[in-house]
Amino acid sequence: MSMSPWRLRLLIVSLLTVAILGALDHTIVSTSLATVAGELGALQQMAWVVVGYTLASTILLPILGKLGDAIGPRSVFLVSLVLFLVASLACGFAQDMAQLVAARVVQGMSSAGLHLMSQTIVALVTTPRERPRYLAIVGAAFPVAILVGPVLGGLITDHWGWPWVFWINLPFGVAALVLALVAVPRLPGIGRQRFDIAGAVAFAVAMVVLVLAVTWVGDERMVAASVVLFAVAAMAFAAFFLIELRATEPLVPLRLFANRTIAAGTALSAIIGVGLFSVTAYLPTYFQMAYGTSATVSGLVPIATVFGMLVSNLATGWLVSRTGHFRAYPIAGTALGAAGLLTMSLLPVGLPLWVPMVVMGVVGIGTGAFMSLVVAVVQSAAPRRDMGSITASVNLVRQVGATVTTAVIGGIIGFGVAALLPASLDASTLTPQIVHAADPALRAEIAAIYTQVFAPVFGALAFVYAAGIVAAILLPGGRLSDESEPAAVSSSEPLTA
């Protein structure tokens, strides 16, 4: 679909505003969780404020992708935005944890629609050549939210109260809705079709059971139940796969993965979730324990990582749209990520903090080089009728990979540290404050333990990025097309104009 330059710019502003709202909603809550749980008197259920949001978002991705293909992405986008605003209002008025979690579930569902339909709309109104630049702009919302969300959430909670963490969405969301009504074009869907109810149920069961399994795996009392749930999740995913192979209109169009571009691009998207997003949450703990930094200073390393990702994401999108050539960027990006994480696994204890900051900044630069680009490349190899579904699939593997690997890494760190700590220390009650107050010999011992536990984690994630180099090399060459319509799917040179 052709759009005038001014309307396209207005559309991108609208989508970016909504993307920032959705991304911030995921990060801004983190610093207010303890206050929320304390005031609502439900500390034990605190994790479900985040888990319910993430789970709902993940489950809805393939469903909303298919719905967008059927009725058009504009309707799904606008309904999602309205639901997001209503849920934000409900979160602030929640009187107990059950009400808050329920409202957060609706927020997660609507956030999935906002994120997914933003990418789908960009794909349908731009040429493959233009797409990387605009997707990079919209995709910049995520690293920006990581940078400013926790700080903003803390300031709002301290000065206005935790309900405003959610209510702050309303004025910006209403403005974004007005912009969207004007800027988002009416894009026709493929019409009424048979909905894959069996696939949706199997996927929902698989994801709910999997999230419960990874949530409980770190609890010694729930290890047996967690093992059973992992088995149930594996069977549910197997059933989902078989259903999708036989469905007339599957939620996830598996037939498209016969295309090398789509298969390799989706694998690269999964590597981002598994290789970097999963470990970011544990970096502050690592540096507080191994380097003896304060909580504030320990946040500098994730900030360096995300800042590198932001700059690289924008630069790569601009360069690819300018030249049309894309293959070198994921190859270089995965190589940088692998080299950086391997270096992290080899760093000795006691180095200045700027050293790991630079190293993780390199990992961020490498990841940003293909973070949004792979979405554009995969979209450019998919037929128009499956644009929402294939965009959902690319995002889905990234989100599931991050969720599962985060839990696995958490379990490895928990068990590893507990096994190596001196008998006089209890891993469950060990805090950075206790470590910083200990004598130098004990601090050095604990620093060595955390380095020993984290080293193989960084090494394993380096191997994941090394596998990404292979996936990047398997991407076909050629240039992104200047044509408005995506090319038909083929296994060779699907992106050449």
Side-chain angles (χ1 to χ4, degrees), residues 324-362:
H325 294 288
F326 62 90
R327 189 165 173 261
Y329 297 100
I331 294 175
T334 49
L336 282 175
L341 287 165
L342 180 61
T343 302
M344 285 296 297
S345 72
L346 300 174
L347 289 181
V349 181
L351 290 176
L353 189 63
W354 66 264
V355 176
M357 280 181 65
V358 170
V359 175
M360 288 305 299
V362 169

Short mmCIF file of all heavy atoms in Angstrom, two decimals, residues 324-362:
data_model
loop_
_atom_site.label_atom_id
_atom_site.label_comp_id
_atom_site.label_asym_id
_atom_site.label_seq_id
_atom_site.Cartn_x
_atom_site.Cartn_y
_atom_site.Cartn_z
N GLY A 324 20.14 -1.89 0.78
CA GLY A 324 19.40 -3.09 0.44
C GLY A 324 20.09 -4.37 0.85
O GLY A 324 19.47 -5.43 0.89
N HIS A 325 21.38 -4.31 1.14
CA HIS A 325 22.14 -5.50 1.54
C HIS A 325 22.01 -5.70 3.05
O HIS A 325 22.17 -4.76 3.82
CB HIS A 325 23.61 -5.35 1.15
CG HIS A 325 23.83 -5.30 -0.32
ND1 HIS A 325 23.70 -6.41 -1.13
CD2 HIS A 325 24.17 -4.27 -1.15
CE1 HIS A 325 23.96 -6.07 -2.39
NE2 HIS A 325 24.24 -4.78 -2.43
N PHE A 326 21.77 -6.93 3.47
CA PHE A 326 21.47 -7.19 4.87
C PHE A 326 22.26 -8.32 5.49
O PHE A 326 22.43 -8.39 6.71
CB PHE A 326 19.97 -7.53 5.03
CG PHE A 326 19.57 -8.77 4.29
CD1 PHE A 326 19.62 -10.01 4.90
CD2 PHE A 326 19.16 -8.72 2.97
CE1 PHE A 326 19.26 -11.17 4.22
CE2 PHE A 326 18.79 -9.86 2.28
CZ PHE A 326 18.85 -11.08 2.91
N ARG A 327 22.77 -9.25 4.71
CA ARG A 327 23.30 -10.51 5.23
C ARG A 327 24.51 -10.32 6.13
O ARG A 327 24.72 -11.07 7.09
CB ARG A 327 23.65 -11.42 4.05
CG ARG A 327 24.02 -12.84 4.43
CD ARG A 327 23.98 -13.72 3.20
NE ARG A 327 24.46 -15.06 3.45
CZ ARG A 327 25.70 -15.47 3.16
NH1 ARG A 327 26.56 -14.63 2.61
NH2 ARG A 327 26.06 -16.71 3.40
N ALA A 328 25.35 -9.31 5.84
CA ALA A 328 26.58 -9.12 6.62
C ALA A 328 26.30 -8.74 8.07
O ALA A 328 27.09 -9.08 8.96
CB ALA A 328 27.45 -8.04 5.97
N TYR A 329 25.18 -8.10 8.31
CA TYR A 329 24.92 -7.56 9.66
C TYR A 329 24.63 -8.65 10.68
O TYR A 329 25.20 -8.62 11.78
CB TYR A 329 23.81 -6.53 9.60
CG TYR A 329 24.19 -5.34 8.75
CD1 TYR A 329 23.74 -5.22 7.44
CD2 TYR A 329 25.04 -4.35 9.24
CE1 TYR A 329 24.10 -4.15 6.64
CE2 TYR A 329 25.41 -3.27 8.45
CZ TYR A 329 24.94 -3.18 7.15
OH TYR A 329 25.32 -2.13 6.36
N PRO A 330 23.75 -9.63 10.39
CA PRO A 330 23.58 -10.71 11.37
C PRO A 330 24.82 -11.57 11.53
O PRO A 330 25.07 -12.09 12.62
CB PRO A 330 22.39 -11.51 10.82
CG PRO A 330 22.21 -11.09 9.42
CD PRO A 330 22.73 -9.70 9.32
N ILE A 331 25.61 -11.74 10.46
CA ILE A 331 26.85 -12.51 10.61
C ILE A 331 27.81 -11.80 11.56
O ILE A 331 28.34 -12.38 12.51
CB ILE A 331 27.52 -12.73 9.23
CG1 ILE A 331 26.65 -13.62 8.34
CG2 ILE A 331 28.90 -13.36 9.40
CD1 ILE A 331 27.16 -13.78 6.92
N ALA A 332 28.02 -10.49 11.32
CA ALA A 332 28.90 -9.71 12.19
C ALA A 332 28.32 -9.60 13.60
O ALA A 332 29.06 -9.68 14.60
CB ALA A 332 29.11 -8.32 11.61
N GLY A 333 27.00 -9.43 13.70
CA GLY A 333 26.36 -9.27 15.01
C GLY A 333 26.48 -10.51 15.87
O GLY A 333 26.81 -10.41 17.07
N THR A 334 26.21 -11.68 15.31
CA THR A 334 26.33 -12.92 16.09
C THR A 334 27.79 -13.19 16.46
O THR A 334 28.07 -13.70 17.55
CB THR A 334 25.75 -14.11 15.31
OG1 THR A 334 26.28 -14.11 13.97
CG2 THR A 334 24.24 -14.04 15.25
N ALA A 335 28.72 -12.84 15.56
CA ALA A 335 30.15 -13.03 15.87
C ALA A 335 30.57 -12.14 17.03
O ALA A 335 31.29 -12.57 17.94
CB ALA A 335 30.99 -12.75 14.63
N LEU A 336 30.11 -10.87 17.03
CA LEU A 336 30.43 -9.97 18.13
C LEU A 336 29.81 -10.47 19.44
O LEU A 336 30.45 -10.42 20.50
CB LEU A 336 29.90 -8.56 17.83
CG LEU A 336 30.72 -7.70 16.87
CD1 LEU A 336 29.97 -6.39 16.59
CD2 LEU A 336 32.10 -7.42 17.44
N GLY A 337 28.57 -10.94 19.37
CA GLY A 337 27.92 -11.47 20.57
C GLY A 337 28.66 -12.67 21.13
O GLY A 337 28.88 -12.77 22.35
N ALA A 338 29.06 -13.59 20.25
CA ALA A 338 29.79 -14.78 20.70
C ALA A 338 31.13 -14.40 21.31
O ALA A 338 31.51 -14.90 22.38
CB ALA A 338 29.99 -15.74 19.52
N ALA A 339 31.86 -13.50 20.65
CA ALA A 339 33.17 -13.08 21.16
C ALA A 339 33.04 -12.37 22.51
O ALA A 339 33.83 -12.60 23.44
CB ALA A 339 33.85 -12.16 20.14
N GLY A 340 32.02 -11.50 22.64
CA GLY A 340 31.84 -10.77 23.88
C GLY A 340 31.50 -11.69 25.04
O GLY A 340 32.07 -11.56 26.14
N LEU A 341 30.57 -12.61 24.83
CA LEU A 341 30.16 -13.51 25.92
C LEU A 341 31.27 -14.49 26.27
O LEU A 341 31.44 -14.85 27.44
CB LEU A 341 28.88 -14.25 25.52
CG LEU A 341 27.62 -13.37 25.53
CD1 LEU A 341 26.48 -14.05 24.80
CD2 LEU A 341 27.21 -13.03 26.96
N LEU A 342 32.04 -14.93 25.26
CA LEU A 342 33.18 -15.79 25.56
C LEU A 342 34.21 -15.03 26.40
O LEU A 342 34.77 -15.59 27.36
CB LEU A 342 33.82 -16.27 24.25
CG LEU A 342 35.05 -17.20 24.41
CD1 LEU A 342 34.67 -18.47 25.15
CD2 LEU A 342 35.65 -17.52 23.05
N THR A 343 34.43 -13.76 26.07
CA THR A 343 35.34 -12.94 26.87
C THR A 343 34.84 -12.79 28.29
O THR A 343 35.63 -12.87 29.26
CB THR A 343 35.51 -11.54 26.22
OG1 THR A 343 35.99 -11.69 24.88
CG2 THR A 343 36.47 -10.68 27.01
N MET A 344 33.53 -12.60 28.46
CA MET A 344 32.96 -12.50 29.81
C MET A 344 33.23 -13.76 30.62
O MET A 344 33.47 -13.70 31.83
CB MET A 344 31.45 -12.25 29.72
CG MET A 344 31.05 -10.85 29.32
SD MET A 344 31.54 -9.57 30.52
CE MET A 344 30.60 -10.07 31.95
N SER A 345 33.19 -14.92 29.97
CA SER A 345 33.42 -16.19 30.68
C SER A 345 34.87 -16.35 31.12
O SER A 345 35.16 -17.17 32.00
CB SER A 345 33.01 -17.37 29.80
OG SER A 345 33.94 -17.56 28.74
N LEU A 346 35.78 -15.57 30.52
CA LEU A 346 37.22 -15.71 30.81
C LEU A 346 37.77 -14.59 31.67
O LEU A 346 38.94 -14.64 32.08
CB LEU A 346 38.01 -15.77 29.49
CG LEU A 346 37.65 -16.92 28.54
CD1 LEU A 346 38.41 -16.77 27.23
CD2 LEU A 346 37.95 -18.27 29.17
N LEU A 347 36.97 -13.55 31.94
CA LEU A 347 37.47 -12.41 32.72
C LEU A 347 37.81 -12.83 34.14
O LEU A 347 37.00 -13.46 34.83
CB LEU A 347 36.42 -11.29 32.76
CG LEU A 347 36.15 -10.51 31.47
CD1 LEU A 347 35.12 -9.43 31.72
CD2 LEU A 347 37.44 -9.90 30.92
N PRO A 348 38.99 -12.48 34.62
CA PRO A 348 39.35 -12.82 36.00
C PRO A 348 38.70 -11.87 37.00
O PRO A 348 38.22 -10.79 36.64
CB PRO A 348 40.88 -12.64 36.01
CG PRO A 348 41.15 -11.62 34.95
CD PRO A 348 40.10 -11.84 33.89
N VAL A 349 38.69 -12.27 38.26
CA VAL A 349 38.13 -11.44 39.32
C VAL A 349 39.04 -10.24 39.55
O VAL A 349 40.26 -10.32 39.43
CB VAL A 349 38.00 -12.25 40.62
CG1 VAL A 349 37.40 -11.40 41.73
CG2 VAL A 349 37.13 -13.48 40.39
N GLY A 350 38.43 -9.10 39.89
CA GLY A 350 39.21 -7.95 40.32
C GLY A 350 39.50 -6.92 39.26
O GLY A 350 40.20 -5.93 39.54
N LEU A 351 38.99 -7.08 38.05
CA LEU A 351 39.21 -6.09 37.00
C LEU A 351 38.37 -4.85 37.26
O LEU A 351 37.33 -4.92 37.93
CB LEU A 351 38.84 -6.68 35.64
CG LEU A 351 39.76 -7.77 35.08
CD1 LEU A 351 39.19 -8.30 33.78
CD2 LEU A 351 41.17 -7.25 34.86
N PRO A 352 38.77 -3.69 36.74
CA PRO A 352 37.92 -2.50 36.85
C PRO A 352 36.57 -2.73 36.17
O PRO A 352 36.49 -3.47 35.17
CB PRO A 352 38.74 -1.42 36.12
CG PRO A 352 40.13 -1.94 36.08
CD PRO A 352 40.03 -3.43 36.04
N LEU A 353 35.54 -2.08 36.66
CA LEU A 353 34.20 -2.31 36.14
C LEU A 353 34.05 -1.91 34.68
O LEU A 353 33.22 -2.47 33.95
CB LEU A 353 33.17 -1.55 37.00
CG LEU A 353 31.69 -1.86 36.71
CD1 LEU A 353 31.38 -3.32 37.02
CD2 LEU A 353 30.78 -0.94 37.50
N TRP A 354 34.88 -0.93 34.21
CA TRP A 354 34.73 -0.49 32.83
C TRP A 354 35.04 -1.61 31.84
O TRP A 354 34.56 -1.58 30.69
CB TRP A 354 35.59 0.73 32.55
CG TRP A 354 37.07 0.51 32.61
CD1 TRP A 354 37.89 0.75 33.67
CD2 TRP A 354 37.92 0.02 31.56
NE1 TRP A 354 39.19 0.44 33.37
CE2 TRP A 354 39.24 -0.01 32.08
CE3 TRP A 354 37.69 -0.41 30.26
CZ2 TRP A 354 40.32 -0.46 31.33
CZ3 TRP A 354 38.77 -0.85 29.51
CH2 TRP A 354 40.07 -0.87 30.03
N VAL A 355 35.82 -2.61 32.26
CA VAL A 355 36.16 -3.71 31.34
C VAL A 355 34.92 -4.52 30.96
O VAL A 355 34.60 -4.67 29.78
CB VAL A 355 37.26 -4.60 31.94
CG1 VAL A 355 37.54 -5.79 31.00
CG2 VAL A 355 38.54 -3.81 32.17
N PRO A 356 34.18 -5.09 31.94
CA PRO A 356 32.95 -5.80 31.54
C PRO A 356 31.90 -4.89 30.92
O PRO A 356 31.08 -5.34 30.11
CB PRO A 356 32.45 -6.42 32.85
CG PRO A 356 33.09 -5.64 33.93
CD PRO A 356 34.42 -5.23 33.40
N MET A 357 31.91 -3.59 31.28
CA MET A 357 30.97 -2.67 30.63
C MET A 357 31.24 -2.60 29.13
O MET A 357 30.31 -2.67 28.31
CB MET A 357 31.11 -1.27 31.24
CG MET A 357 30.39 -1.07 32.56
SD MET A 357 30.58 0.63 33.19
CE MET A 357 29.73 1.56 31.91
N VAL A 358 32.51 -2.49 28.77
CA VAL A 358 32.87 -2.43 27.35
C VAL A 358 32.53 -3.75 26.66
O VAL A 358 31.97 -3.77 25.55
CB VAL A 358 34.37 -2.11 27.19
CG1 VAL A 358 34.81 -2.30 25.74
CG2 VAL A 358 34.66 -0.70 27.66
N VAL A 359 32.85 -4.86 27.33
CA VAL A 359 32.60 -6.18 26.73
C VAL A 359 31.11 -6.39 26.50
O VAL A 359 30.69 -6.81 25.41
CB VAL A 359 33.18 -7.29 27.63
CG1 VAL A 359 32.80 -8.67 27.06
CG2 VAL A 359 34.69 -7.17 27.72
N MET A 360 30.27 -6.11 27.50
CA MET A 360 28.83 -6.29 27.33
C MET A 360 28.25 -5.24 26.38
O MET A 360 27.24 -5.49 25.72
CB MET A 360 28.13 -6.22 28.69
CG MET A 360 28.35 -7.45 29.57
SD MET A 360 27.93 -9.03 28.77
CE MET A 360 26.17 -8.81 28.43
N GLY A 361 28.88 -4.07 26.30
CA GLY A 361 28.47 -3.11 25.28
C GLY A 361 28.66 -3.66 23.89
O GLY A 361 27.83 -3.46 23.00
N VAL A 362 29.75 -4.41 23.69
CA VAL A 362 30.00 -5.06 22.40
C VAL A 362 28.93 -6.11 22.12
O VAL A 362 28.44 -6.24 20.98
CB VAL A 362 31.40 -5.69 22.38
CG1 VAL A 362 31.58 -6.59 21.16
CG2 VAL A 362 32.47 -4.61 22.40
#
